[in-house]
Amino acid sequence: MNAKIVLLPGDGIGPEVVNEARLVLDAVAKLFGHTFEYSTHLLGGCAIDATGTALPEATLKACQASHAVLLGAVGGPKWDDPQAKVRPEQGLLAIRKGLGLYANLRPVKVIPSLAKLSPLKPERLAGVDFIVIRELTGGLYFGQPKGRTKTATGEQAVDTLIYTDVEIRRIVRLGFQIARCRRKQLTSIDKANVLESSRLWRQIAIEVSKEFPDVKLDHQLVDSAAMRLITHAAQFDVIVTENMFGDILTDEAAVLAGSLGLLPSASLGEGKLGLYEPIHGSAPDIAGKGIANPTGTILSAAMLLRHSLGLEAEARAIEAAVSAAIDEGCHTGDLGAAKPINTSQMGDAVRARLKR
Ligand code: IPM
Ligand code: MG
């Protein structure tokens, strides 16, 4: 097949890890007889420096005209001034919203040979394999009113947690659909004992569950779910939750896998177009050194093949090559190696193990 892929390397280690993932995609294209056409665009801090805005119009247009988008990371100390009017993260939020990508899929799996990297006891990690579906374009991140106002005595700030039934229904439904293809257990996470928006969320989850009698739905409050993610992680199959809860819980969940550098994500909307990125950030402390772990981005490229291009065999080929490389001891510094390999060696190790 022929596909147009937009690359958004972004800031920090973004360009280094995206480059490796692109080389993996090239290797897949050669092996399976596809043609991937790439174009590279600005997003985040580099876009602010070049154009004054974190999401230039040209970037959004190119993404809209593509089949899929592969993103590195945005942000860094250079743009971190809390007084700044434009911030790299605004680019990320605007591109999610601009492309209508309301569903963020974050799979978490513990690779047995890496279980020792996690601060948790190995018995807590056995069999951990779940996916978090985070609502991505609603809730506190986008709700209006939002902002600061002066008061008689000082200042106040407001963010609004708002969800419509339509927004809840489409994300919960996706949760059920994904659960149906896995172990058929959906956990909806909310704070229905306090928040009205969560009570609507729970009501709709129960309504939608009638369409999926084969999937078992349970509800957990976000505070106890945060605890159970550590104490009983293996019990989760599919989790669906609102934007902010999902943001927090997925960083927590990443601890299970042992390194943030390993985990991919996909952001999807109504059509096939999706945005794929590792869940780690721009890691300014190691940027430019060529030592970042490209695995999260390479696995994001596998998700891109699966969800946007419908290339399941190709996606699996990447995932198998990554597992083989890691199991055979190809480890970057974050994986606790005594003699770590660098970013491009890790990419090479994956490419060398790609098989049809
Ligand atoms: C994430 C990040 C972003 C978010 C930030 C960088 C805006 O933490 O993708 O989880 O909060 O969504
Ligand atoms: Mg986050």
Side-chain angles (χ1 to χ4, degrees), residues 12-347:
I13 59 170
E16 301 162 48
V17 292
V18 165
N19 185 48
E20 289 312 314
R22 181 211 156 137
L23 293 172
V24 170
L25 284 171
D26 282 341
V28 167
K30 205 164 161 207
L31 200 58
F32 288 82
H34 303 301
T35 308
F36 299 146
E37 259 175 62
Y38 307 94
S39 64
T40 302
H41 292 270
L42 296 170
L43 181 79
C46 59
I48 294 176
D49 289 351
T51 71
T53 134
L55 173 59
E57 192 61 35
T59 298
L60 184 62
K61 284 226 167 79
C63 293
Q64 281 162 338
S66 75
H67 293 100
V69 182
L70 185 66
L71 174 99
V74 299
K78 182 173 176 196
W79 306 281
D80 254 354
D81 175 7
Q83 307 295 330
K85 288 253 159 14
V86 283
R87 303 181 53 88
E89 293 78 9
Q90 289 166 345
L92 193 53
L93 300 186
I95 198 165
R96 289 170 178 170
K97 194 78 170 173
L99 298 176
L101 307 174
Y102 61 81
N104 185 219
L105 276 49
R106 297 188 168 182
V108 178
K109 232 187 206 174
V110 175
I111 301 179
S113 65
L114 293 181
K116 58 181 186 298
L117 292 178
S118 169
L120 299 189
K121 295 198 183 83
E123 59 266 30
R124 299 232 188 256
L125 297 169
V128 170
D129 176 4
F130 62 87
I131 179 164
V132 181
I133 302 170
R134 166 187 173 195
E135 201 290 328
L136 203 57
T137 52
L140 280 169
Y141 278 61
F142 296 95
Q144 293 294 337
K146 187 179 202 57
R148 291 205 197 189
T149 40
K150 299 261 183 274
T151 65
T153 51
E155 227 184 335
Q156 66 180 19
V158 61
D159 295 288
T160 303
L161 175 38
I162 180 166
Y163 271 105
T164 66
D165 55 344
V166 173
E167 288 171 318
I168 299 170
R169 196 167 283 112
R170 66 185 181 183
I171 191 83
V172 169
R173 193 170 275 139
L174 181 69
F176 276 105
Q177 283 159 352
I178 291 177
R180 181 169 261 177
C181 304
R182 294 178 45 109
R183 302 196 305 275
K184 301 188 168 46
Q185 268 186 62
L186 180 66
T187 303
S188 170
I189 294 178
D190 61 36
K191 186 72 183 175
N193 53 348
V194 178
L195 301 176
E196 203 53 55
S197 56
S198 281
R199 286 193 277 274
L200 180 62
W201 183 284
R202 196 175 277 217
Q203 177 195 318
I204 302 236
I206 293 169
E207 276 170 36
V208 177
S209 72
K210 312 237 150 66
E211 300 166 28
F212 298 86
D214 52 324
V215 176
K216 188 174 165 294
L217 169 69
D218 74 315
H219 308 275
Q220 289 186 20
L221 297 172
V222 63
D223 49 353
S224 84
M227 192 177 68
R228 295 185 66 81
L229 264 181
I230 300 298
T231 57
H232 294 82
Q235 287 180 0
F236 292 99
D237 178 21
V238 180
I239 289 171
V240 66
T241 193
E242 67 94 42
N243 202 346
M244 183 77 166
F245 295 161
D247 178 46
I248 297 168
L249 293 176
T250 51
D251 264 29
E252 186 194 7
V255 173
L256 300 165
S259 169
L260 264 182
L262 295 168
L263 298 181
S265 81
S267 301
L268 308 172
E270 288 306 342
K272 287 267 169 221
L273 175 61
L275 181 140
Y276 302 83
E277 56 178 314
I279 79 154
H280 62 68
S282 60
D285 52 323
I286 56 164
K289 296 189 177 159
I291 59 171
N293 186 351
T295 305
T297 315
I298 292 172
L299 290 172
S300 299
M303 292 186 89
L304 179 158
L305 296 176
R306 171 174 296 125
H307 294 286
S308 282
L309 307 186
L311 301 175
E312 179 65 29
E314 289 81 344
R316 286 187 190 213
I318 294 181
E319 288 161 353
V322 165
S323 297
I326 289 177
D327 283 344
E328 288 165 39
C330 306
H331 295 172
T332 42
D334 57 309
L335 303 184
K339 280 206 185 121
I341 59 173
N342 65 28
T343 309
S344 67
Q345 288 166 329
M346 188 72 199

